[in-house]
Amino acid sequence: MTFLPEDGERGVPPAMALYSILGFWFFYAILVTLRAAVMGFAAQDELAVRRMVVTVIGVIATWVLYLALRRFDHKPLSVRIVAAFSLAAPFALAMAAANFYIFNVYDPAGMLTDADPEKYARPGYALMSIAEDAISRYFFLAAWAGLYLALSYASEAHRVERRAARLERAAQQAELRSLRYQVNPHFLFNTLNSLSSLVMKDRRDEAELMILSLSNFYRTSLTGDPLEDVPLEEEVHLQKLYLDIEGVRFPDRLSTRIDIPESLLDACVPGLILQPLVENAIKYGVSRTAAPVTIAIAAREEGGMLHITVTDNGDKPPAASDGGNGIGLANVRDRLAARFGDQGRIVYGPRPEGGFAVELVLPLIRRGC
């Protein structure tokens, strides 16, 4: 499995490890201090100073243990468990030895007035005391090692989640880019068909005007990033350029109407999301009839959602037998789903008064485009 830096650092970050170590040893210092107070030990001030020294040594030793455990972060979990509980033993022994020195070897009389130096010189006393203390400190360090393993596992799980999210975003972007790039060849195919019909009818002036309009359209549409949204005003402007191209082909039958409130002109929409809808209106609403047809583009806000409609009043709307080439409405539906999930949808069908209507519903976004 390949991880990138944006997936996060492997293992427990140093800051988190340090906070856990400080928390453990602070808890230890509080418990030992309360125990000494309850048992009524003498020289509480001297005990507190030495206890602070032992605590600092413990923090340093646990930090070194953390650095040692980090070397096993790339190993399987079973190896890391064995390493954690094995390495805790020598560190516990070292801390017990330091504790024995601070409380029993270094100036014991300065802490307890009735201290018996001969007691500390007895054969085996030091070893026995250190061994007993090492056992209790081993369980303390083993508890911290268990916490470290839990934090490490959680960090690894988050890392996998971030990688999965990154790959999901990459797949979504690839899908959006693919769907977006489907629009241009589809549009070009339709336009070239229109241009071919003008040439065959020897309408040279109209064909030249269409070529210029086509060049202007592509110059404008191809400058944007296919993954970025565009203001609704820009998207509608592109559709006007396209309608100008088709207006050359149908000068007496095609008229357009734009009904978009000024407050929605800055709303963000996927680039060329209206292109297949307008193309279908031309293909089924205008080219199939000899009567004048009006193509209308309208937008409104409702419940925090943006509703965009493309309608025509042609007398021969598309029927179930009109399969098309699989791009059109399916492309728009897939792009909305990839970009907005369940919040983006498309509704279409014949109008009661005649013609065909397509409505897009998507979140109203005013930033990022």
Side-chain angles (χ1 to χ4, degrees):
M1 184 177 293
T2 302
F3 288 94
L4 297 180
E6 55 264 34
D7 295 327
E9 184 181 2
R10 179 185 290 273
V12 180
M16 182 181 296
L18 180 60
Y19 289 146
S20 69
I21 292 171
L22 292 176
F24 255 70
W25 281 101
F26 177 76
F27 181 69
Y28 160 83
I30 293 296
L31 284 183
V32 175
T33 300
L34 290 175
R35 175 177 173 271
V38 170
M39 298 184 68
F41 290 160
Q44 288 290 335
D45 293 341
E46 181 67 21
L47 280 172
V49 172
R50 299 191 188 204
R51 193 178 301 116
M52 184 179 300
V53 173
V54 172
T55 301
V56 171
I57 293 174
V59 169
I60 295 173
T62 312
W63 178 257
V64 176
L65 174 60
Y66 160 72
L67 296 179
L69 292 178
R70 275 180 64 90
R71 302 177 66 87
F72 294 87
D73 283 343
H74 63 286
K75 300 292 185 180
L77 181 60
S78 58
V79 175
R80 291 155 63 186
I81 292 175
V82 172
F85 292 108
S86 298
L87 289 174
F91 282 94
L93 185 61
M95 289 167 51
N99 185 75
F100 182 82
Y101 176 81
I102 294 297
F103 283 94
N104 297 278
V105 178
Y106 175 75
D107 190 23
M111 181 178 60
L112 300 173
T113 56
D114 59 346
D116 181 10
E118 295 182 0
K119 178 180 67 172
Y120 307 120
R122 294 172 188 169
Y125 175 79
L127 184 59
M128 182 64 68
S129 297
I130 292 175
E132 290 178 355
D133 191 34
I135 293 175
S136 62
R137 291 180 185 276
Y138 173 78
F139 284 105
F140 181 84
L141 281 181
W144 180 85
L147 174 64
Y148 172 82
L149 290 174
L151 293 175
S152 178
Y153 183 81
S155 176
E156 195 69 18
H158 291 160
R159 223 165 152 250
V160 172
E161 289 176 359
R162 285 191 291 269
R163 180 179 183 273
R166 175 174 60 82
L167 293 178
E168 184 178 356
R169 287 194 301 271
Q172 182 189 47
Q173 290 177 353
E175 181 181 6
L176 285 170
R177 188 178 284 110
S178 174
L179 291 170
R180 168 64 171 77
Y181 285 152
Q182 283 180 351
V183 174
N184 285 331
H186 183 248
F187 158 73
L188 182 60
F189 175 79
N190 287 343
T191 304
L192 290 179
N193 276 346
S194 300
L195 183 61
S196 175
S197 67
L198 291 177
V199 172
M200 292 179 63
K201 295 177 181 179
D202 199 27
R203 296 166 59 181
R204 300 180 182 180
D205 292 339
E206 291 91 336
E208 182 179 358
L209 180 59
M210 180 176 286
I211 292 174
L212 293 176
S213 298
L214 178 63
S215 173
N216 190 24
F217 176 87
Y218 266 102
R219 186 183 302 111
T220 303
S221 65
L222 294 180
T223 55
D225 188 329
L227 297 180
E228 293 183 355
D229 295 339
V230 300
L232 180 57
E233 182 178 21
E234 180 178 328
E235 174 67 10
V236 172
H237 173 68
L238 280 174
Q239 300 317 307
K240 288 180 179 178
L241 292 177
Y242 170 69
L243 289 169
D244 288 342
I245 295 173
E246 293 295 346
V248 176
R249 182 183 173 193
F250 306 106
D252 301 322
R253 288 156 43 193
L254 173 62
S255 61
T256 61
R257 185 176 72 249
I258 308 297
D259 183 16
I260 297 178
E262 187 174 351
S263 60
L264 295 179
L265 292 177
D266 61 344
C268 299
V269 298
L272 290 182
I273 195 67
L274 299 181
Q275 182 64 39
L277 311 185
V278 177
E279 284 188 56
N280 280 352
I282 294 291
K283 180 178 180 180
Y284 298 108
V286 179
S287 63
R288 286 183 170 186
T289 181
V293 174
T294 299
I295 295 178
I297 302 176
R300 73 182 192 279
E301 177 185 356
E302 184 177 313
M305 304 292 287
L306 177 63
H307 295 249
I308 307 175
T309 58
V310 176
T311 61
D312 67 77
N313 57 355
D315 55 11
K316 296 180 181 180
S321 58
D322 296 312
N325 60 5
I327 301 296
L329 299 179
N331 178 280
V332 175
R333 181 197 60 217
D334 293 342
R335 290 183 67 192
L336 289 176
R339 174 67 177 83
F340 302 110
D342 294 337
Q343 289 187 298
R345 62 183 187 274
I346 179 173
V347 181
Y348 53 86
R351 304 168 64 199
E353 63 273 27
F356 199 79
V358 182
E359 181 178 27
L360 306 184
V361 182
L362 57 155
L364 180 58
I365 303 173
R366 298 184 183 276
R367 297 179 181 178
C369 61

